[in-house]
Amino acid sequence: MIAAMAMLQSWGSAGTAIASFLFVWDMIRRHLPPELLRVLERWTRKLRVVFNPYVQISISEYMNRNLKPHDAYAAVEAYLSVNSVKEAKRLKAEMITGADKLVLSMDENEKVNDEFHGAKVQWISGKLEARQREHYPEVDKRYYKLIFHKKHREMITGPYLDHVVRTGKEIQTRYKKQKLYTNSHSKTTWSHIVFDHPASFEKLAMDRERKQEIVEDLITFREGREFYERIGKAWKRGYLLYGPPGTGKSTMIASMANLLNYDIYDLELTSVRDNTDLRRLLAETTSKSIIVIEDIDCSLDLTGKRKKILEKKTEGGTEKSKKEALSKDTEDGSSRVTLSGLLNFIDGLWSACSGERIIVFTTNYVHKLDPALTRRGRMDKHIELSYCSFEGFKVLARNYLGLESHPLFESIRLLMKETRITPADVAENLMPKSRKEVAERCLRNLVQTLERAKEKQRSDKGKEELEDNEPITEDKLEEKQETRNADETIELNAV
């Protein structure tokens, strides 16, 4: 009892001393000259730094003096929302753009503790009100403050922060929604929607060995950061998808994006004004994305035809008339993207920006493309998507009808050996037209379609034999091939 009374008396004495000190300090602050007071406060801060054993690191929501988001802030927020928010008493719930559920995070001025290899740290969330900011006063500035003992400085500023950012980005990737971007003619920026395509390699109508080869190539690329750094190449890979219409090129791209969890940038070349805008669009793409240019042969043909027309319009004219024609051509909305600009887009210096990316070209007629565009190093892997095989048919039968086997499978296998049909046409025949239509009826429809296609191909072959004696130029041969492919597609669709 006596000891307790003595302790209370000592606390009371200490409280009186502190109160007296604060009173005297307040009197000094009021009567000292401002210059001397500033010097005294500066020395007081230095003393606090000397005797304070803790270090602070602030991570702001925006970069200094501009409104560009700070990637590290978003990573820290994701890390704390999963790893440390369990002990916070005040939380805020937000719906992140593209997500389908609420995400919890620390409220302002909330504190949580974390531990890393025995070192204890504390995170504090805060916000500077708009009126407190000198730049961009209309925007609040949120931040996270990390506090730790100075004896752990090297471990916290190195491995721990690397761990926080890396884990936070993994969490962001896990919960993010994929996006499909496109460029418009009126703006040199990307607009996007949520990408929610159900395609996958398991459902792709292709031979199992070829699918496995492509999947392994994609996964090797995704995990090849150290390899690309070691060989001194930009972390990117080009894929050329070619084959007749309806063979699944767009479905292949969707399957690639879903396998890797990448966003897709669908680049419409005819909407890009010139090479400068093309570079700007490339610089705005993000890492972990697939840049797609579909029907690249059509885009290049459009550019080539425009150039020939422009040369005819300016032929024999003065330099002034050529500039006027070029200016009018630009005002009319025509694209001035050149093959050289496109090649630099693929593997020039600008192609190294934004990190991990895949570039995909699609074409129906690969022989039309310039060899400079398709060479290895630009389009590293060429993937032919041809007519449907029996293995591809079995995948579609399983997808559409839920069948692994059927007595009609053998007839279909024999017909497919002698007939060319695209996966799109096979799928259309397997699609039930009503709820009452059974699987056998769909298979019989496919058999009839294959038999008709076989008869037509036999008839076309007979006509070709009659025309063999006629001289055929290269242009005429190409025209015949294109007409034949178009006729086959029209006939199969009609059936």
Side-chain angles (χ1 to χ4, degrees), residues 238-293:
Y239 288 82
L240 175 64
L241 310 183
Y242 65 96
T247 51
K249 292 183 284 294
S250 297
T251 306
M252 169 69 76
I253 295 170
S255 301
M256 294 167 68
N258 288 334
L259 173 70
L260 301 174
N261 196 25
Y262 283 8
D263 293 330
I264 296 178
Y265 288 84
D266 185 14
L267 178 61
E268 178 55 57
L269 277 182
T270 55
S271 296
V272 183
R273 287 194 295 266
D274 51 33
N275 294 336
T276 302
D277 286 342
L278 184 63
R279 288 194 298 269
R280 185 179 296 112
L281 286 168
L282 176 64
E284 291 178 358
T285 60
T286 60
S287 179
K288 298 183 183 297
S289 60
I290 300 176
I291 300 175
V292 179
I293 303 180

Side-chain angles (χ1 to χ4, degrees), residues 88-107:
K89 293 182 172 58
R90 293 185 298 115
L91 304 172
K92 59 182 179 181
E94 297 176 318
M95 180 69 77
I96 298 178
T97 303
D100 53 2
K101 64 178 181 179
L102 289 173
V103 177
L104 298 178
S105 59
M106 297 164 53
D107 203 355

Side-chain angles (χ1 to χ4, degrees), residues 51-56 118-122 146-157:
F51 292 102
N52 183 13
Y54 292 98
V55 180
Q56 293 185 173
K120 295 182 179 180
V121 301
Q122 186 178 68
L146 173 62
I147 302 175
F148 56 93
H149 199 282
K150 62 182 180 182
K151 68 180 180 181
H152 302 304
R153 178 188 292 268
E154 291 187 4
M155 181 170 60
I156 299 302
T157 57

